[in-house]
């Protein structure tokens, strides 16, 4: 009897997640969701149900699924924070620069355009057009291969966090996050 390697059941979730993250980065999330109506419908009945139900009319009427998916992905990223704070804001300088446990989250969050890399001019002088990956490599004094290992780890952790439908306290936390995000936009 053979056993499957750890995380082998995450492969389908990881493939979908990578597609959604790439679409978000390219600004094509709505288009990708429209191209895959069955997958979008399945997501709407599970994860997005809590987001859509909480956000209601606050989502843009022309693209509610894309906006809801972005909120879900942002919430998923908060689940990777080592300090478990349910926001992408307020990350301490030490976490950005010195704590390797934060790097998978930071790489994922910045590479896919959910948050910019803050300027740390005393540590690294980024060019205005420099990609987030290059800025983070400079801040952390690592090469691209190390950065992409952090990114891969972040993607696996996020796929794992979003691989099961929300239940109980997780649904409540997701609803609170959506309310907070919408309040900050108002």
């Amino acid at each position: 009897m053979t056993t499957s390697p750890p995380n082998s059941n995450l492969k389908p979730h990881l493939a979908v997640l990578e597609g959604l993250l790439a679409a978000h980065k390219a600004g094509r999330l709505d288009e990708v969701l429209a191209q895959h109506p069955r997958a979008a419908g399945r997501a709407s009945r599970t994860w997005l149900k809590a987001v859509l139900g909480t956000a209601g009319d606050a989502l843009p009427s022309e693209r509610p699924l894309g906006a809801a998916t972005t909120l879900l992905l942002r919430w998923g990223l908060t689940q990777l924070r080592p300090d478990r704070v349910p926001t992408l804001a307020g990350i301490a300088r030490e976490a950005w620069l010195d704590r390797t446990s934060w790097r998978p989250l930071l790489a994922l969050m910045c590479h896919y355009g959910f948050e910019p890399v803050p300027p740390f001019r005393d540590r690294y002088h980024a060019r205005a057009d420099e990609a987030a990956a290059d800025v983070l490599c400079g801040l952390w004094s690592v090469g691209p291969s190390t950065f992409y290992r952090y990114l891969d780890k972040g993607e696996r952790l996020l796929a794992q966090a979003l691989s099961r439908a929300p239940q109980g306290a997780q649904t409540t936390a997701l609803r609170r996050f959506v309310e907070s995000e919408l309040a900050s936009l108002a």
Side-chain angles (χ1 to χ4, degrees):
M1 181 168 152
T2 60
T3 59
S4 59
N7 297 329
S8 66
N9 60 340
L10 283 182
K11 283 185 181 183
H13 298 288
L14 191 55
V16 170
L17 177 66
E18 287 171 345
L20 291 174
L21 291 171
H24 178 271
K25 182 178 182 176
R28 297 182 53 236
L29 191 54
D30 295 302
E31 182 182 328
V32 168
L33 290 169
Q35 290 172 350
H36 301 282
R38 256 192 292 171
R42 192 169 40 252
S44 294
R45 290 186 300 277
T46 56
W47 279 101
L48 294 181
K49 184 178 179 181
V51 177
L52 293 166
T54 303
D57 294 338
L59 295 175
S61 61
E62 67 280 356
R63 49 178 223 91
L65 274 184
T69 302
T70 297
L71 285 169
L72 174 64
L73 291 171
R74 289 181 64 82
W75 177 78
L77 289 168
T78 68
Q79 302 305 292
L80 305 184
R81 280 185 70 139
D83 63 1
R84 308 305 290 166
V85 174
T87 182
L88 294 179
I91 298 174
R93 176 185 170 87
E94 299 79 34
W96 277 100
L97 301 177
D98 301 321
R99 297 205 177 120
T100 57
S101 61
W102 283 79
R103 290 182 180 178
L105 163 65
L106 299 174
L108 200 58
M109 179 175 83
C110 297
H111 179 72
Y112 288 111
F114 290 96
E115 292 291 325
V117 180
F120 295 102
R121 301 212 191 286
D122 60 319
R123 182 83 168 246
Y124 183 76
H125 290 279
R127 294 182 319 272
D129 63 341
E130 197 166 6
D134 296 329
V135 175
L136 290 172
C137 285
L139 280 177
W140 299 336
S141 299
V142 300
S145 63
T146 301
F147 170 81
Y148 284 103
R149 279 195 298 271
Y150 288 131
L151 187 65
D152 288 343
K153 182 176 182 179
E155 288 171 352
R156 283 191 317 275
L157 290 170
L158 184 57
Q160 186 175 10
L162 297 176
S163 66
R164 291 174 297 284
Q167 296 179 8
Q170 196 174 35
T171 302
T172 303
L174 175 56
R175 288 182 183 280
R176 284 190 191 128
F177 175 80
V178 169
E179 290 169 349
S180 173
E181 287 281 299
L182 293 174
S184 71
L185 297 175

